[in-house]
mmCIF file of all heavy atoms in Angstrom:
data_model
loop_
_atom_site.group_PDB
_atom_site.id
_atom_site.type_symbol
_atom_site.label_atom_id
_atom_site.label_comp_id
_atom_site.label_asym_id
_atom_site.label_seq_id
_atom_site.Cartn_x
_atom_site.Cartn_y
_atom_site.Cartn_z
ATOM 1 N N HIS Y 177 -4.122 23.992 -1.966
ATOM 2 C CA HIS Y 177 -4.022 24.871 -3.138
ATOM 3 C C HIS Y 177 -3.241 24.218 -4.263
ATOM 4 O O HIS Y 177 -2.381 23.371 -4.038
ATOM 5 C CB HIS Y 177 -3.467 26.252 -2.764
ATOM 6 C CG HIS Y 177 -2.061 26.275 -2.244
ATOM 7 N ND1 HIS Y 177 -0.969 26.368 -3.066
ATOM 8 C CD2 HIS Y 177 -1.562 26.250 -0.979
ATOM 9 C CE1 HIS Y 177 0.140 26.413 -2.335
ATOM 10 N NE2 HIS Y 177 -0.196 26.331 -1.058
ATOM 11 N N ASP Y 179 -1.556 25.931 -6.798
ATOM 12 C CA ASP Y 179 -0.482 26.734 -7.407
ATOM 13 C C ASP Y 179 0.803 26.686 -6.581
ATOM 14 O O ASP Y 179 0.771 26.353 -5.389
ATOM 15 C CB ASP Y 179 -0.935 28.193 -7.548
ATOM 16 C CG ASP Y 179 -1.273 28.851 -6.203
ATOM 17 O OD1 ASP Y 179 -1.872 28.178 -5.341
ATOM 18 O OD2 ASP Y 179 -0.910 30.031 -6.002
ATOM 19 N N ASP Y 331 4.685 21.825 -2.055
ATOM 20 C CA ASP Y 331 3.788 22.868 -1.550
ATOM 21 C C ASP Y 331 2.978 23.358 -2.748
ATOM 22 O O ASP Y 331 3.491 24.095 -3.568
ATOM 23 C CB ASP Y 331 4.602 24.009 -0.928
ATOM 24 C CG ASP Y 331 3.747 25.200 -0.541
ATOM 25 O OD1 ASP Y 331 2.525 25.070 -0.497
ATOM 26 O OD2 ASP Y 331 4.332 26.279 -0.298
ATOM 27 N N ASN Y 332 1.734 22.919 -3.021
ATOM 28 C CA ASN Y 332 0.987 22.194 -2.040
ATOM 29 C C ASN Y 332 0.307 20.984 -2.673
ATOM 30 O O ASN Y 332 -0.734 20.517 -2.228
ATOM 31 C CB ASN Y 332 -0.024 23.162 -1.404
ATOM 32 C CG ASN Y 332 -0.772 22.589 -0.227
ATOM 33 O OD1 ASN Y 332 -0.422 21.560 0.295
ATOM 34 N ND2 ASN Y 332 -1.835 23.237 0.132
ATOM 35 N N GLU Y 360 -3.191 30.811 -4.245
ATOM 36 C CA GLU Y 360 -2.855 30.956 -2.826
ATOM 37 C C GLU Y 360 -1.544 31.697 -2.658
ATOM 38 O O GLU Y 360 -1.379 32.509 -1.745
ATOM 39 C CB GLU Y 360 -2.759 29.576 -2.153
ATOM 40 C CG GLU Y 360 -2.624 29.627 -0.634
ATOM 41 C CD GLU Y 360 -1.195 29.775 -0.121
ATOM 42 O OE1 GLU Y 360 -0.238 29.562 -0.899
ATOM 43 O OE2 GLU Y 360 -1.020 30.122 1.055
ATOM 44 N N GLU Y 361 -0.597 31.420 -3.552
ATOM 45 C CA GLU Y 361 0.743 32.007 -3.406
ATOM 46 C C GLU Y 361 0.743 33.515 -3.649
ATOM 47 O O GLU Y 361 1.742 34.179 -3.385
ATOM 48 C CB GLU Y 361 1.729 31.325 -4.371
ATOM 49 C CG GLU Y 361 1.900 29.826 -4.133
ATOM 50 C CD GLU Y 361 2.549 29.488 -2.791
ATOM 51 O OE1 GLU Y 361 2.951 30.411 -2.066
ATOM 52 O OE2 GLU Y 361 2.643 28.280 -2.482
ATOM 53 N N ALA Y 401 -5.044 22.063 4.652
ATOM 54 C CA ALA Y 401 -3.768 21.343 4.598
ATOM 55 C C ALA Y 401 -2.774 22.066 3.694
ATOM 56 O O ALA Y 401 -3.022 22.219 2.497
ATOM 57 C CB ALA Y 401 -4.001 19.918 4.091
ATOM 58 N N ASP Y 402 -1.705 22.529 4.282
ATOM 59 C CA ASP Y 402 -0.654 23.212 3.520
ATOM 60 C C ASP Y 402 0.658 22.933 4.265
ATOM 61 O O ASP Y 402 0.670 22.831 5.485
ATOM 62 C CB ASP Y 402 -0.967 24.712 3.456
ATOM 63 C CG ASP Y 402 -0.188 25.414 2.367
ATOM 64 O OD1 ASP Y 402 0.650 24.777 1.710
ATOM 65 O OD2 ASP Y 402 -0.424 26.633 2.177
ATOM 66 N N ASN Y 403 1.738 22.847 3.528
ATOM 67 C CA ASN Y 403 2.981 22.363 4.139
ATOM 68 C C ASN Y 403 3.475 23.263 5.272
ATOM 69 O O ASN Y 403 3.237 24.471 5.276
ATOM 70 C CB ASN Y 403 4.065 22.222 3.076
ATOM 71 C CG ASN Y 403 3.669 21.194 2.033
ATOM 72 O OD1 ASN Y 403 2.598 20.591 2.127
ATOM 73 N ND2 ASN Y 403 4.507 20.988 1.052
ATOM 74 N N LYS Y 430 -0.772 23.834 12.928
ATOM 75 C CA LYS Y 430 -0.154 25.162 12.849
ATOM 76 C C LYS Y 430 -1.005 26.164 13.626
ATOM 77 O O LYS Y 430 -2.202 26.274 13.395
ATOM 78 C CB LYS Y 430 -0.028 25.584 11.387
ATOM 79 C CG LYS Y 430 0.809 24.606 10.578
ATOM 80 C CD LYS Y 430 1.169 25.153 9.222
ATOM 81 C CE LYS Y 430 0.138 24.897 8.186
ATOM 82 N NZ LYS Y 430 0.555 25.318 6.836
ATOM 83 N N SER Y 471 1.062 32.409 6.115
ATOM 84 C CA SER Y 471 -0.364 32.142 6.227
ATOM 85 C C SER Y 471 -0.793 31.251 5.075
ATOM 86 O O SER Y 471 0.033 30.850 4.248
ATOM 87 C CB SER Y 471 -1.161 33.447 6.226
ATOM 88 O OG SER Y 471 -2.507 33.186 6.583
ATOM 89 N N THR Y 472 -2.067 30.935 5.004
ATOM 90 C CA THR Y 472 -2.544 30.017 3.971
ATOM 91 C C THR Y 472 -4.050 30.186 3.765
ATOM 92 O O THR Y 472 -4.634 31.182 4.206
ATOM 93 C CB THR Y 472 -2.138 28.568 4.338
ATOM 94 O OG1 THR Y 472 -2.618 27.678 3.333
ATOM 95 C CG2 THR Y 472 -2.714 28.140 5.683
ATOM 96 N N MET Y 495 10.929 25.066 1.258
ATOM 97 C CA MET Y 495 9.645 25.509 0.727
ATOM 98 C C MET Y 495 9.842 26.665 -0.255
ATOM 99 O O MET Y 495 10.589 27.586 0.009
ATOM 100 C CB MET Y 495 8.711 25.920 1.870
ATOM 101 C CG MET Y 495 7.252 25.915 1.468
ATOM 102 S SD MET Y 495 6.187 26.557 2.757
ATOM 103 C CE MET Y 495 6.202 25.226 3.936
ATOM 104 N N HIS Y 496 9.169 26.574 -1.380
ATOM 105 C CA HIS Y 496 9.197 27.555 -2.476
ATOM 106 C C HIS Y 496 10.474 27.477 -3.303
ATOM 107 O O HIS Y 496 10.737 28.357 -4.130
ATOM 108 C CB HIS Y 496 8.936 28.983 -1.998
ATOM 109 C CG HIS Y 496 7.528 29.175 -1.522
ATOM 110 N ND1 HIS Y 496 6.975 30.401 -1.258
ATOM 111 C CD2 HIS Y 496 6.538 28.275 -1.269
ATOM 112 C CE1 HIS Y 496 5.720 30.257 -0.864
ATOM 113 N NE2 HIS Y 496 5.440 28.969 -0.849
HETATM 114 ZN ZN1 ZN K 1087 1.404 26.412 0.378
#
Side-chain angles (χ1 to χ4, degrees):
H177 64 87
D179 61 321
D331 173 14
N332 187 13
E360 189 274 345
E361 299 294 355
D402 197 356
N403 298 359
K430 301 192 273 186
S471 191
T472 179
M495 200 186 287
H496 292 191

